[in-house]
Amino acid sequence: MPAHSTRHDGRVTASRSASLTGIRAVAALSVCLTHAAFWTGRYTDDVVGRLFARFEFGVAIFFVLSGYLLFRPWVRELRTGERSRSTGVTRYAWHRFRRVVPPYWVVVIAVYLIYLVRDDPGGTGHGWGSFLRNMTFTQVYGYGHLHTGLTQMWSMCAEVAFYVVLPLIAWPLAALVCHRRWRPDLLLVWLCGLALISPVFTVVVHGLPDANPTMRLWPPAFASWFLGGMALAVVTELVTRWPWQVSVPIGLLAFLASAGSYAGGPTIIPDDAGQTIVKHLLYLVAALALIGPLAAGHDPRAPLGTDDEVPPDPWRRALGWRPVVWFGEISYEFFLVHVMVLEFVMGWLGFRTFTGSTAAAFAVTVVVATPVAWLLHWITGTPAQRQRARLWPVSPGHAAATRR
């Protein structure tokens, strides 16, 4: 799906895909904020401290969005009966590899090189074995492989695992459950059933004595977020309106509600299984409520991949604003580099670990990490990705030449 369309005057249209790119900016900045809060000691076990910790919710947005975007071609194929190139495994695998792996590898190698000359305050992730695990998205499958500057990459292990598993879920649903017919009822029932993997896995892992703590970060723990996104792809083929005036407040309230003690303390995975399940459910509700109005409302007759226009609304316009969409285009690279940048920023500002201003650490990290992310995107991206992340409008003639 194109990220957005650009008018002749350089303004981005209020299209569905533009705003879906824009919400990536919200997700990336949320994750950066929660890390800045952690580094500056704001993870206190009170409402404010838990709320700072809950900005990790940006990860749930990324996961739900991935489930929606990657399953949508399969859903559209069932609804229209027309074959989609996007469901071909070879093409799908190459596109996922090309988008995700090159910038990730560059960052992992760069961080390991940096810590050859810089003192590492962490005690894990050292050695060739850990380096290979970080390069292959397997660092969470065993204790002691999360490296300083790369600790946020646990989520990439879940993301990549989902990319691998998606065809193994989508094909049986399409061919065996639906028999290549449009059966949204069956799709939703099966997706909701599969989403139970997450709470069951959470209960089992929390009940294991002396379990490896990184087991709580394994992909099944977050499967419900991806599957929720897949369900969203089905629902948005059925509805023509998703009122943002109701949905967005629900999403914000669900996020704020996650700061309650019933969703655990200021940590990624609470020690109590029930608290973990509640927190993950609130994140899922919030993500679906915020993304739903952006994903719905398209023309069901439009071919997959078209940048169809939709009636503008304040929520879609805000996330479809050109600077927001631009940042959304480089949000993945920003996510990859921001923790390493934050490590430097803490030293530049003279902050010791768990001290200092959260606002200052966050602001300086964003200012420094943004051009680094843009450069990484420019170096590792395809020509089409570079065009979408340009800092200036593209003339229609140049855009057409690039597409050719």
Side-chain angles (χ1 to χ4, degrees):
M1 179 187 300
H4 57 271
S5 60
T6 306
R7 300 180 189 271
H8 287 205
D9 59 4
R11 290 184 293 122
V12 176
T13 63
S15 67
R16 173 168 44 89
S17 52
S19 55
L20 288 173
T21 300
I23 201 170
R24 294 180 186 274
V26 175
L29 291 173
S30 296
V31 174
C32 182
L33 176 59
T34 199
H35 288 146
F38 174 77
W39 258 255
T40 53
R42 295 298 182 272
Y43 271 29
T44 52
D45 198 7
D46 51 30
V47 173
V48 174
R50 290 192 294 269
L51 189 60
F52 271 123
R54 299 307 191 241
F55 278 94
E56 67 183 7
F57 161 66
V59 174
I61 293 178
F62 280 130
F63 286 8
V64 170
L65 199 55
S66 290
Y68 165 75
L69 292 173
L70 296 178
F71 190 53
R72 184 171 175 249
W74 294 85
V75 171
R76 180 61 65 90
E77 188 175 277
L78 289 173
R79 193 184 62 76
T80 64
E82 299 175 0
R83 293 289 295 175
S84 170
R85 294 191 343 175
S86 299
T87 60
V89 174
T90 301
R91 184 176 187 272
Y92 165 82
W94 168 245
H95 277 245
R96 289 298 85 208
F97 177 90
R98 183 66 183 82
R99 178 67 187 101
V100 171
V101 175
Y104 176 85
W105 277 351
V106 169
V107 172
V108 170
I109 292 170
V111 168
Y112 269 84
L113 290 175
I114 287 170
Y115 280 105
L116 290 179
V117 296
R118 177 183 171 90
D119 290 337
D120 186 355
T124 61
H126 302 157
W128 283 104
S130 290
F131 172 74
L132 292 175
R133 282 177 175 264
N134 278 270
M135 289 289 284
T136 56
F137 304 97
T138 56
Q139 59 267 44
V140 298
Y141 305 113
Y143 182 73
H145 302 293
L146 298 178
H147 192 283
T148 302
L150 299 171
T151 50
Q152 81 280 21
M153 302 302 192
W154 67 264
S155 64
M156 290 306 303
C157 299
E159 186 95 20
V160 169
F162 172 73
Y163 294 158
V164 173
V165 170
L166 175 68
L168 303 179
I169 299 174
W171 185 86
L173 287 177
L176 304 180
V177 173
C178 296
H179 300 287
R180 299 292 180 184
R181 293 177 296 161
W182 176 229
R183 292 296 307 272
D185 53 340
L186 291 178
L187 288 174
L188 290 174
V189 167
W190 274 84
L191 289 171
C192 290
L194 290 171
L196 295 176
I197 291 172
S198 291
V200 170
F201 178 83
T202 297
V203 170
V204 170
V205 168
H206 278 76
L208 293 176
D210 302 322
N212 182 339
T214 58
M215 287 183 67
R216 299 180 183 181
L217 299 176
W218 286 7
F222 310 99
S224 61
W225 296 348
F226 291 111
L227 290 159
M230 294 172 70
L232 180 63
V234 179
V235 172
T236 52
E237 291 292 325
L238 301 174
V239 300
T240 56
R241 294 187 66 254
W242 190 308
W244 70 273
Q245 303 96 324
V246 176
S247 192
V248 172
I250 289 175
L252 296 177
L253 287 173
F255 169 71
L256 292 174
S258 69
S261 58
Y262 44 77
T267 180
I268 296 175
I269 303 294
D271 290 330
D272 181 79
Q275 292 174 340
T276 302
I277 293 170
V278 168
K279 186 175 79 163
H280 284 190
L281 179 60
L282 287 171
Y283 283 3
L284 176 59
V285 170
L288 291 173
L290 296 180
I291 297 171
L294 308 176
H298 62 280
D299 181 358
R301 297 166 299 177
L304 183 65
T306 56
D307 199 21
D308 45 314
E309 295 285 337
V310 293
D313 60 57
W315 180 235
R316 198 185 306 272
R317 282 200 300 268
L319 294 177
W321 186 38
R322 184 180 180 84
V324 179
V325 175
W326 175 84
F327 193 91
E329 292 287 356
I330 64 168
S331 59
Y332 172 55
E333 289 79 6
F334 180 89
F335 173 82
L336 295 179
V337 305
H338 81 277
V339 172
M340 188 67 249
V341 171
L342 180 57
E343 291 278 348
F344 281 107
V345 166
M346 290 291 289
W348 295 340
L349 296 177
F351 297 161
R352 297 188 304 275
T353 305
F354 305 134
T355 66
S357 165
T358 298
F362 170 71
V364 177
T365 298
V366 171
V367 168
V368 175
T370 298
V372 175
W374 179 83
L375 181 61
L376 178 62
H377 184 91
W378 192 262
I379 292 171
T380 61
T382 64
Q385 290 164 355
R386 292 178 190 142
Q387 177 185 320
R388 292 196 297 267
R390 290 176 72 96
L391 294 168
W392 51 89
V394 183
S395 66
H398 182 273
T402 303
R403 284 194 295 270
R404 285 197 298 267

